[in-house]
């Protein structure tokens, strides 16, 4: 029997919002040595101001209404309810596209790009570039709710996405992913190659240069190695904790909105094109809405578990992929992939290096993201055999 697809609407009880306001008001703040800035983590002064804005000025109901303007649904796949946005284009020949975010993202990453991708005619674009857009929330992330068991991995999510696209009636489609979503999209191309026409990725960790394989006479490869060092020795603390003891951090993130805010906002500063504060790169309300989705759904722990599930394969070269793959490189992302290294095991058909933007490309630079996605998939609207 075919699994049903049910409409979904976000409707957070007022009691949950009142509880959040009380917790924010009663925060017990830590001390901080003077002059440490962001080197020790998100600064107390900045976080106090951001938390006060969250408590007194940020309007969840406005953001909830904005989210609910998108058609949303749930369907059970592999024993778990999967939440997804599904915007069908008014253009009859639109190409189906599945967008997958990573940690600590959510569908908020795609709010500014879904409309132009689905209806380019209404946004000054070419209707021939239209997509039917599917943006799921991976099980354990935000609106899909917490997973109740271990075993949710990149491969399992990819299998769920293949089933979701089949269930929606899409026999041929393309996929985009960033962060964890890039791993899922690449795996999706491997397991559903009969239906995935092409990929667009903004992260390929295994294509980063290392001291062992870098050509240091090439400036980009030198910077790739430097980024790797910075990630390993300065930015990767969150990943080490989530990859070893995700339950340990889940207690604080689930009980304290300040802990959840700090855990996510620090990434929005360190991984983006921000100079002084995260809002240099992303809209403040959008960042807080992203935090809200984790807080209100209690999915800090279950989203962190993906790191534990995948830790054994970190850094390994993935299986060879024949799927045509476009890569968009945003210079302030946490890793800097190198094309010659990516070509070892990927069928690279397009490689774009931007001069601005970071880890949350669709959120930071929506115009660049949209243009590159359209161009990357333009040649794959008619099926071509890969044999």
């Amino acid at each position: 029997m075919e699994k049903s697809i049910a409409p979904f609407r976000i409707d957070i009880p007022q009691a949950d919002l009142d509880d959040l306001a009380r917790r924010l008001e009663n925060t017990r703040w830590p001390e901080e040595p003077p002059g440490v800035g962001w080197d020790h983590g998100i600064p107390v002064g900045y976080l106090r101001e951001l938390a006060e804005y969250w408590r007194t000025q940020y309007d969840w109901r406005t953001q909830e209404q904005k989210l609910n303007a998108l058609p949303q649904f749930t369907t059970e796949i592999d024993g778990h309810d999967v939440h997804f946005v599904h915007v069908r284009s008014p253009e009859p020949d639109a190409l189906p596209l599945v967008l997958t975010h990573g940690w600590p993202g959510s569908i908020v990453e795609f709010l500014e790009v879904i409309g132009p991708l689905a209806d380019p005619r209404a946004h000054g674009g070419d209707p021939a570039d239209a997509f039917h857009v599917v943006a799921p929330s991976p099980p354990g992330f935000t609106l899909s709710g917490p997973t109740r068991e271990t075993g949710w991995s990149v491969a399992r999510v990819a299998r769920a996405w293949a089933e979701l696209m089949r269930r929606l009636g899409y026999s041929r489609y393309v996929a985009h992913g960033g962060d964890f979503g890039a791993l899922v999209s690449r795996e999706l191309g491997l397991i559903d190659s009969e239906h995935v026409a092409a990929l667009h990725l903004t992260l390929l960790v295994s294509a980063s240069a290392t001291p062992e394989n870098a050509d240091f006479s090439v400036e980009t490869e030198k910077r790739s190695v430097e980024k790797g060092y910075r990630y390993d020795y300065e930015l990767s603390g969150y990943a080490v904790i989530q990859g070893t003891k995700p339950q340990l951090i889940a207690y604080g993130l689930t009980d304290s909105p300040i802990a959840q805010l700090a855990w996510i906002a620090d990434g929005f500063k360190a991984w983006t094109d921000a100079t002084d504060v995260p809002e240099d790169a992303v809209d403040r309300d959008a960042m807080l809405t992203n935090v809200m989705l984790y807080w209100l759904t209690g999915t800090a722990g279950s989203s962190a578990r993906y790191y534990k599930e995948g830790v054994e394969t970190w850094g390994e070269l993935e299986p060879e992929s024949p799927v045509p793959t476009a890569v968009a490189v945003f210079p302030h992302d946490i890793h800097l992939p190198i094309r010659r290294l990516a070509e070892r095991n990927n069928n690279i058909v397009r490689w774009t290096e931007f001069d601005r933007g970071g880890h949350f490309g669709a959120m930071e630079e929506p115009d660049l993201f949209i243009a590159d996605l359209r161009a990357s998939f333009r040649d794959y609207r008619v099926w071509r055999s890969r044999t």
Side-chain angles (χ1 to χ4, degrees), residues 292-372:
M292 284 287 280
L293 290 180
Y294 281 88
W295 172 256
L296 294 170
T297 58
T299 51
S302 55
S303 60
R305 279 199 294 272
Y306 279 96
Y307 285 75
K308 179 75 169 177
E309 298 283 354
V311 71
E312 292 182 357
T313 59
W314 280 7
E316 291 186 4
L317 195 65
E318 303 95 340
E320 185 172 351
S321 171
V323 182
T325 301
V327 177
V329 181
F330 290 93
H332 296 280
D333 207 338
I334 52 179
H335 296 284
L336 182 63
I338 302 300
R339 180 166 186 165
R340 71 170 180 87
L341 299 176
E343 288 176 339
R344 294 175 300 176
N345 60 331
N346 297 279
N347 178 15
I348 303 297
V349 296
R350 179 182 170 87
W351 189 273
T352 309
E353 297 184 7
F354 295 112
D355 61 356
R356 61 188 187 276
H359 192 67
F360 306 95
M363 198 174 181
E364 295 178 62
E365 301 291 344
D367 290 343
L368 294 181
F369 179 89
I370 291 166
D372 195 64

Side-chain angles (χ1 to χ4, degrees), residues 23 245-257 259 295 300-301:
R23 289 171 183 263
K245 300 284 186 180
Q247 193 64 28
L248 193 61
I249 194 64
Y251 295 111
L253 300 183
T254 305
D255 185 62
S256 167
W295 172 256

